[in-house]
Amino acid sequence: MSGEHMQIGEVAARTELSLRTIRHYEETGLVISSARSQGGFRLYTEADVARLMVIRRMKPLGFTLDEMRDLLAATDRLDSGDELPAEERARLLDRVRHFEQAAQQRVVNLRTQLARAEEFADTLAGRLTSATAS
């Protein structure tokens, strides 16, 4: 096998996604294997891995599959190399900007949740310390 294509197991190891998850993303149309081996195995490229990494990073931020699909469609179009009309390019960039702002807000929300969770864990640790000191 050439260095250009990887089987799903290597992609799973590189992305830290399960085989089942990668197949699910393929079934939903978020990622499509670039080729098939003679034996019918899915083959992926670096671009496919990069696409899966975008999906993997969006998932814990609570983005839906439709939102992932929307962002990927916008970035695919921007990265296509096609000469885009200025209006379409501006619309696509606005779409990506919307996702960037949503991601930033979700990160802020997660940091707040984490701070509250740490505060709670510290409270419990304090209770245990004072209870065992008695």
Side-chain angles (χ1 to χ4, degrees):
M1 174 141 340
S2 75
E4 294 178 24
H5 288 98
M6 296 163 267
Q7 289 188 359
I8 194 168
E10 182 180 347
V11 172
R14 289 192 49 198
T15 60
E16 299 178 351
L17 294 169
S18 69
L19 300 177
R20 183 177 177 187
T21 298
I22 294 170
R23 288 184 186 116
H24 172 70
Y25 290 150
E26 189 167 334
E27 289 167 8
T28 60
L30 286 174
V31 67
I32 299 170
S33 59
S34 293
R36 293 272 181 167
S37 70
Q38 289 181 344
F41 294 105
R42 295 169 173 92
L43 299 175
Y44 299 88
T45 63
E46 287 296 329
D48 299 325
V49 170
R51 188 176 187 89
L52 283 164
M53 292 303 292
V54 168
I55 295 165
R56 194 188 91 183
R57 290 175 180 126
M58 291 181 80
K59 183 73 174 152
L61 293 176
F63 287 101
T64 66
L65 294 178
D66 285 338
E67 289 171 321
M68 293 175 193
R69 194 174 290 108
D70 187 22
L71 175 63
L72 290 167
T75 57
D76 286 349
R77 186 74 177 120
L78 286 167
D79 295 342
S80 70
D82 296 341
E83 186 68 32
L84 300 176
E87 185 177 301
E88 180 182 3
R89 182 172 176 72
R91 184 181 55 77
L92 291 168
L93 289 171
D94 281 346
R95 196 78 198 120
V96 173
R97 194 171 294 111
H98 162 78
F99 280 103
E100 187 272 335
Q101 291 168 349
Q104 292 293 345
Q105 185 58 55
R106 291 173 188 205
V107 167
V108 167
N109 294 346
L110 284 170
R111 283 191 177 123
T112 301
Q113 287 180 335
L114 179 58
R116 289 177 183 154
E118 289 172 334
E119 208 174 272
F120 176 63
D122 290 345
T123 300
L124 292 176
R127 283 180 168 257
L128 289 172
T129 300
S130 65
T132 56
S134 305

